């Protein structure tokens, strides 16, 4: 009996690795589907609806049908996530998805960046790792999430991965590159002095 114990723990760890591999593959497939959707005709229609609903309708986009499609797809992804969560935790109860969980999911999106594909993933990674980093601190998570939301709204309104957050950094880098290009070429325009 004692000789079988190491093999059972090995199979348990292999089982965990298989589950993690399945989760990573499903996440990759979801991200790929969303990225493809974004550049498709339906994705462009949704973007037009987001920007100006009346103009999109004037262009012939069926708003009700597209909203119903998005609602159905979001239900599919929520069901998929719930099924995976149930598989990992072995139990789902009504208390698992209360107000605290809703605030966590809101923080994922706001922290990572709205309108991006990888933003909520980064936000979820940060919010998931944060309690582990601050494990010694017994402060309530709600206060911490509120503080994170306040800081993000003030300093990075579009989220960490939004274009508006990186535009000032890009401008600074372009200026430095242009300044270093001027000094290397001997003046403006890249032409040597005669």
């Amino acid at each position: 009996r004692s000789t079988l114990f190491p093999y059972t723990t090995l199979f348990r760890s292999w089982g965990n690795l298989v589950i993690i591999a399945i989760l990573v593959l499903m996440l990759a497939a979801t991200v790929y589907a969303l990225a493809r959707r974004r550049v498709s005709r339906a994705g462009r229609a949704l973007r037009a609806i987001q920007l100006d609903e009346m103009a999109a309708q004037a262009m012939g986009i069926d708003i009700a049908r597209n909203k119903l499609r998005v609602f159905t797809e979001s239900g599919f992804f929520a069901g998929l996530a719930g099924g995976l969560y149930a598989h990992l935790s072995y139990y789902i109860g009504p208390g698992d998805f209360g107000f605290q969980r809703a605030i966590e999911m809101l923080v994922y999106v706001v922290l990572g960046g709205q309108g991006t594909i990888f933003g909520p993933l980064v936000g979820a990674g940060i919010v998931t790792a944060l309690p582990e980093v601050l494990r010694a601190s017994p402060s309530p998570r709600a206060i911490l999430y509120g503080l994170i939301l306040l800081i993000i709204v003030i300093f990075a309104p579009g989220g960490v991965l939004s274009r508006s957050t990186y535009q000032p950094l890009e401008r600074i880098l372009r200026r430095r590159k242009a300044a270093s290009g001027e000094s290397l070429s001997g003046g403006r325009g890249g032409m040597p002095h005669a």
Side-chain angles (χ1 to χ4, degrees):
R1 187 172 178 126
S2 62
T3 57
L4 291 177
F5 181 74
Y7 295 108
T8 57
T9 57
L10 176 68
F11 288 126
R12 281 188 198 154
S13 64
W14 278 106
N16 290 340
L17 288 175
V18 168
I19 290 171
I20 290 172
I22 290 171
L23 290 174
V24 168
L25 286 174
M26 291 181 90
L27 178 65
T30 302
V31 168
Y32 177 76
L34 291 174
R36 295 290 299 166
R37 169 65 180 267
R38 187 175 219 170
V39 296
S40 71
R41 182 177 180 193
R44 290 190 304 269
L46 291 174
R47 179 76 175 147
I49 292 170
Q50 178 188 11
L51 293 175
D52 191 353
E53 205 169 301
M54 289 178 65
Q57 189 172 16
M59 293 174 61
I61 296 173
D62 188 359
I63 294 173
R65 182 177 179 182
N66 280 293
K67 284 185 176 183
L68 180 63
R69 181 186 302 149
V70 168
F71 185 74
T72 305
E73 289 173 359
S74 63
F76 167 76
F77 286 120
L80 181 68
L84 294 173
Y85 182 76
H87 181 72
L88 289 175
S89 67
Y90 300 113
Y91 172 76
I92 290 183
D96 292 341
F97 296 99
F99 182 72
Q100 182 71 22
R101 181 65 78 169
I103 294 297
E104 278 184 23
M105 291 181 197
L106 177 67
V107 171
Y108 296 164
V109 175
V110 173
L111 178 64
Q114 299 174 16
T116 64
I117 293 175
F118 290 105
L121 295 176
V122 170
I126 292 170
V127 170
T128 303
L130 203 58
E132 296 300 322
V133 172
L134 301 174
R135 185 179 289 260
S137 172
S139 65
R141 286 186 185 180
I143 294 172
L144 187 63
Y145 293 150
L147 185 64
I148 289 171
L149 278 175
L150 184 66
I151 290 171
I152 290 297
V153 166
I154 291 172
F155 294 109
V160 175
L161 291 184
S162 71
R163 183 126 175 99
S164 64
T165 304
Y166 287 109
Q167 280 178 343
L169 181 62
E170 286 177 351
R171 274 186 258 141
I172 291 169
L173 291 175
R174 270 191 255 130
R175 285 182 196 152
R176 284 190 179 174
K177 188 176 180 181
S180 66
E182 287 176 11
S183 64
L184 291 175
S185 64
R188 293 190 178 263
M191 300 291 276
H193 290 295

